[in-house]
């Protein structure tokens, strides 16, 4: 089992940047593929980005591709989401998620129901 704690959210002006972090408990972080999701008010939770357990493969939603970068440091049990060129439509609660996976190193899950563990979320607000 793993526990996830997000940090780094806040209020930023359009065009600005934020870097989210997600710290995971436990000693088997490298066994988990990781993802970021977000949920805006009145909307369904949606996939933002994912990274394979080795960190060698990443995937992005079309809405954030080219602006957001996901990365991980397995030595620090942490996954990051660097968000640049933020837009008001990026405003949401951002959630970190983990999927226990011992298969292909390249696998990046993108569906919400593939993930086993979730953080509590961190609010990101982008003002216009």
């Amino acid at each position: 089992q793993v526990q996830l704690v997000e940090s780094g959210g806040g209020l930023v002006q359009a065009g600005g940047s934020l870097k989210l972090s997600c710290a995971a408990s436990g000693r088997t972080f490298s066994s988990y593929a990781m993802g970021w999701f977000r949920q805006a008010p009145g909307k369904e939770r949606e996939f933002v980005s994912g990274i394979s357990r080795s960190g060698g493969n990443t995937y992005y939603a079309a809405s954030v591709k080219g602006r957001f970068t996901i990365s991980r440091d397995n030595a620090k049990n942490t996954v990051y989401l660097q968000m640049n060129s933020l837009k008001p439509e990026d405003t949401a609660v951002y959630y970190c998620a983990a999927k226990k996976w011992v298969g292909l190193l390249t696998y990046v899950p993108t569906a919400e129901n593939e993930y086993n563990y979730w953080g509590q979320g961190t609010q990101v607000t982008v003002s216009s």
Side-chain angles (χ1 to χ4, degrees):
Q1 188 152 349
V2 63
Q3 292 183 322
L4 306 172
V5 179
E6 302 98 333
S7 61
L11 173 64
V12 64
Q13 287 190 330
S17 299
L18 280 175
K19 186 174 185 177
L20 305 183
S21 299
C22 173
S25 65
R27 294 178 289 179
T28 59
F29 182 66
S30 60
S31 298
Y32 292 85
M34 302 296 295
W36 287 96
F37 288 74
R38 67 185 182 187
Q39 187 168 22
K43 294 188 176 182
E44 299 283 321
R45 188 154 59 181
E46 63 175 1
F47 172 81
V48 175
S49 183
I51 189 166
S52 61
R53 57 190 183 98
S54 69
N57 294 80
T58 59
Y59 194 82
Y60 298 92
S63 58
V64 307
K65 196 169 185 179
R67 299 188 298 122
F68 290 11
T69 302
I70 190 171
S71 61
R72 68 188 294 162
D73 185 337
N74 285 349
K76 294 183 178 180
N77 284 13
T78 303
V79 63
Y80 306 96
L81 186 68
Q82 176 68 48
M83 306 185 294
N84 298 330
S85 302
L86 283 161
K87 305 174 181 180
E89 51 264 44
D90 293 318
T91 295
V93 177
Y94 283 70
Y95 297 91
C96 174
K99 175 180 174 62
K100 180 74 171 180
W101 180 248
V102 294
L104 287 174
L105 285 172
T106 57
Y107 178 58
V108 180
T110 60
E112 184 175 347
N113 61 9
E114 293 187 272
Y115 286 87
N116 312 110
Y117 304 100
W118 294 84
Q120 81 290 349
T122 185
Q123 176 71 46
V124 171
T125 303
V126 184
S127 63
S128 56

